[in-house]
Amino acid sequence: MIKLVAFDLDGTLTQHKTKLGDKNRSVLDRLGEKYKLLMVGAGQCARIFNQMDGYPIDIIGNYGLQYAKYDAETRSLNVVRDAVLPCDRDSVSKRVWALREKYGMTEFRGESVEFHPSGCVTFAILGTKALQEDKLAYDPDRSKRRKIYAEVCENFDEYVVFVGGSSSFDMAPKPYNKYYALDLYCKENGLSHDEVVFVGDDYGMGGNDESVYSSDFNFICVDDYEKLEEAVKDLL
């Protein structure tokens, strides 16, 4: 009954912030012969498209705030939805600082908070200009952030909060998350949830795939992007 296979990117199809490799590109090609393919991402559509090295696929970005269709003639994306929601930057900054003071996180490089054009927010614990090696070493198993995850959610109740990347909390204005985005896509395209399978890796507490994993959508867990083919073998 599956008609649509939807994907997360980082950790599912690629290493974090790296280009789509030949092996997983081939897996997508084979799946595309049988199913409609779709990306459902946390970042902007253009960034996802670039990281996928121009792979021909429709993309939902910013947790559903943005949507772009692939144009085969121009080999580019046509953005058909690009919502921008308001953000009270002063209020967000004050609440972030209160958490920093409470948990001894007052030292950071760059800005404390990254405000995205869409209205999404990143609470960058180590700062927006932190060194990559420091970010990777900060909380590799996410245990530090998960200890205060509930409190962050409570303090930012107008947002859906995610334990993002290696050292941050990402926030999307409610009700936007990957479940909301995929459900909206289904409504707009006449699909039922049982005709869709989502493939993702970030399905634990606070993960940005968790909303889909805990829903009625079919879900395939990928714990190593290099083993994607094995994970989706039943679909192939």
Side-chain angles (χ1 to χ4, degrees), residues 6 17 21 23 38 43 47 65 85 95 128-129 142 146 164 192 198 207-208 218 233 235:
K17 293 186 178 180
K23 181 180 178 181
L38 176 71
R47 185 193 69 76
L65 286 159
L85 297 185
R95 283 178 279 170
T128 56
K129 294 185 178 180
R142 303 191 175 193
R146 283 176 172 157
S192 62
F198 186 90
N208 65 30
N218 302 295
K233 62 182 179 181
L235 292 175

Short mmCIF file of all heavy atoms in Angstrom, two decimals, residues 6 17 21 23 38 43 47 65 85 95 128-129 142 146 164 192 198 207-208 218 233 235:
data_model
loop_
_atom_site.label_atom_id
_atom_site.label_comp_id
_atom_site.label_asym_id
_atom_site.label_seq_id
_atom_site.Cartn_x
_atom_site.Cartn_y
_atom_site.Cartn_z
N ALA A 6 9.16 9.11 2.65
CA ALA A 6 9.67 10.40 3.08
C ALA A 6 10.92 10.21 3.92
O ALA A 6 11.03 9.24 4.67
CB ALA A 6 8.60 11.14 3.89
N LYS A 17 25.74 17.34 7.73
CA LYS A 17 26.20 18.45 6.88
C LYS A 17 27.18 18.02 5.80
O LYS A 17 28.04 18.80 5.38
CB LYS A 17 26.81 19.57 7.75
CG LYS A 17 25.78 20.26 8.64
CD LYS A 17 26.37 21.45 9.37
CE LYS A 17 25.30 22.15 10.20
NZ LYS A 17 25.83 23.32 10.94
N GLY A 21 26.10 10.79 -0.77
CA GLY A 21 27.09 9.94 -1.42
C GLY A 21 26.48 9.07 -2.51
O GLY A 21 25.25 8.92 -2.61
N LYS A 23 26.47 5.83 -2.94
CA LYS A 23 25.77 4.61 -2.50
C LYS A 23 24.31 4.91 -2.16
O LYS A 23 23.39 4.22 -2.64
CB LYS A 23 26.49 4.00 -1.31
CG LYS A 23 25.85 2.72 -0.80
CD LYS A 23 26.61 2.15 0.40
CE LYS A 23 25.95 0.90 0.94
NZ LYS A 23 26.68 0.35 2.12
N LEU A 38 10.16 12.02 -1.01
CA LEU A 38 9.99 13.34 -0.43
C LEU A 38 10.99 13.53 0.70
O LEU A 38 11.23 12.63 1.50
CB LEU A 38 8.56 13.48 0.12
CG LEU A 38 8.20 14.76 0.86
CD1 LEU A 38 8.10 15.93 -0.12
CD2 LEU A 38 6.88 14.59 1.63
N GLY A 43 15.90 22.19 8.07
CA GLY A 43 16.51 23.38 7.48
C GLY A 43 15.75 23.88 6.26
O GLY A 43 14.72 23.33 5.88
N ARG A 47 19.08 24.68 1.26
CA ARG A 47 20.23 24.05 1.92
C ARG A 47 20.17 22.54 1.77
O ARG A 47 21.18 21.89 1.50
CB ARG A 47 20.27 24.44 3.40
CG ARG A 47 21.53 23.90 4.11
CD ARG A 47 21.44 24.01 5.61
NE ARG A 47 20.46 23.11 6.19
CZ ARG A 47 20.66 21.80 6.35
NH1 ARG A 47 21.77 21.22 5.92
NH2 ARG A 47 19.73 21.04 6.92
N LEU A 65 7.18 24.92 7.31
CA LEU A 65 7.03 26.34 6.99
C LEU A 65 7.38 26.61 5.52
O LEU A 65 6.91 27.58 4.92
CB LEU A 65 7.92 27.20 7.90
CG LEU A 65 7.46 27.34 9.35
CD1 LEU A 65 8.62 27.74 10.25
CD2 LEU A 65 6.35 28.36 9.45
N LEU A 85 6.98 33.44 10.39
CA LEU A 85 6.19 33.73 11.58
C LEU A 85 6.95 34.68 12.50
O LEU A 85 8.19 34.67 12.54
CB LEU A 85 5.86 32.43 12.31
CG LEU A 85 4.99 31.44 11.52
CD1 LEU A 85 4.63 30.25 12.40
CD2 LEU A 85 3.72 32.09 11.00
N ARG A 95 14.85 34.62 28.20
CA ARG A 95 14.58 33.27 28.72
C ARG A 95 15.79 32.36 28.54
O ARG A 95 16.11 31.53 29.39
CB ARG A 95 13.34 32.69 28.06
CG ARG A 95 12.03 33.26 28.62
CD ARG A 95 10.83 32.70 27.91
NE ARG A 95 10.58 33.37 26.65
CZ ARG A 95 9.70 32.93 25.74
NH1 ARG A 95 9.04 31.80 25.93
NH2 ARG A 95 9.51 33.61 24.62
N THR A 128 27.08 30.68 18.60
CA THR A 128 26.95 30.50 17.15
C THR A 128 28.29 30.36 16.44
O THR A 128 28.33 29.92 15.29
CB THR A 128 26.18 31.68 16.54
OG1 THR A 128 26.86 32.91 16.88
CG2 THR A 128 24.75 31.74 17.07
N LYS A 129 29.38 30.72 17.11
CA LYS A 129 30.71 30.62 16.48
C LYS A 129 31.60 29.61 17.21
O LYS A 129 32.83 29.70 17.14
CB LYS A 129 31.38 31.99 16.42
CG LYS A 129 30.66 32.97 15.50
CD LYS A 129 31.42 34.28 15.36
CE LYS A 129 30.71 35.23 14.40
NZ LYS A 129 31.43 36.52 14.25
N ARG A 142 23.69 13.20 24.05
CA ARG A 142 22.55 14.10 24.32
C ARG A 142 22.06 14.05 25.76
O ARG A 142 21.01 14.61 26.08
CB ARG A 142 21.38 13.80 23.36
CG ARG A 142 21.77 13.90 21.90
CD ARG A 142 20.57 13.86 20.99
NE ARG A 142 20.98 14.09 19.61
CZ ARG A 142 20.15 14.35 18.62
NH1 ARG A 142 18.85 14.41 18.85
NH2 ARG A 142 20.59 14.56 17.40
N ARG A 146 19.13 16.41 27.49
CA ARG A 146 17.89 15.72 27.84
C ARG A 146 17.55 15.90 29.32
O ARG A 146 16.38 15.83 29.69
CB ARG A 146 17.99 14.25 27.46
CG ARG A 146 17.79 14.03 25.96
CD ARG A 146 17.96 12.60 25.55
NE ARG A 146 17.59 12.43 24.14
CZ ARG A 146 18.02 11.45 23.35
NH1 ARG A 146 18.84 10.53 23.84
NH2 ARG A 146 17.64 11.38 22.10
N GLY A 164 18.75 19.54 19.33
CA GLY A 164 19.27 19.65 17.98
C GLY A 164 20.78 19.53 17.86
O GLY A 164 21.52 19.89 18.78
N SER A 192 -3.37 8.85 2.48
CA SER A 192 -3.65 8.45 3.85
C SER A 192 -2.33 8.10 4.52
O SER A 192 -1.33 7.80 3.85
CB SER A 192 -4.59 7.25 3.89
OG SER A 192 -4.00 6.13 3.24
N PHE A 198 8.00 6.84 6.68
CA PHE A 198 9.04 7.82 6.95
C PHE A 198 10.31 7.10 7.37
O PHE A 198 10.27 6.15 8.16
CB PHE A 198 8.60 8.78 8.06
CG PHE A 198 9.56 9.92 8.31
CD1 PHE A 198 9.42 11.11 7.63
CD2 PHE A 198 10.61 9.78 9.21
CE1 PHE A 198 10.31 12.16 7.85
CE2 PHE A 198 11.50 10.81 9.43
CZ PHE A 198 11.35 12.02 8.75
N GLY A 207 14.15 14.29 19.71
CA GLY A 207 14.64 14.24 18.35
C GLY A 207 13.63 14.83 17.37
O GLY A 207 12.42 14.78 17.60
N ASN A 208 14.13 15.37 16.26
CA ASN A 208 13.18 16.03 15.36
C ASN A 208 12.39 15.06 14.48
O ASN A 208 11.50 15.49 13.75
CB ASN A 208 13.84 17.14 14.54
CG ASN A 208 14.89 16.65 13.56
OD1 ASN A 208 14.83 15.53 13.06
ND2 ASN A 208 15.87 17.50 13.29
N ASN A 218 3.86 4.92 9.25
CA ASN A 218 4.88 3.87 9.22
C ASN A 218 6.25 4.53 9.37
O ASN A 218 6.49 5.61 8.83
CB ASN A 218 4.82 3.11 7.89
CG ASN A 218 3.47 2.49 7.64
OD1 ASN A 218 3.05 1.59 8.36
ND2 ASN A 218 2.76 2.96 6.62
N LYS A 233 15.41 -2.44 2.94
CA LYS A 233 15.44 -3.58 2.02
C LYS A 233 14.05 -4.11 1.70
O LYS A 233 13.81 -4.58 0.57
CB LYS A 233 16.32 -4.70 2.60
CG LYS A 233 15.83 -5.27 3.93
CD LYS A 233 16.79 -6.33 4.46
CE LYS A 233 16.32 -6.88 5.81
NZ LYS A 233 17.27 -7.89 6.35
N LEU A 235 11.36 -2.39 1.32
CA LEU A 235 10.78 -1.50 0.31
C LEU A 235 11.41 -1.76 -1.05
O LEU A 235 10.73 -1.71 -2.08
CB LEU A 235 11.01 -0.04 0.69
CG LEU A 235 10.26 0.48 1.90
CD1 LEU A 235 10.70 1.91 2.22
CD2 LEU A 235 8.75 0.45 1.68
#
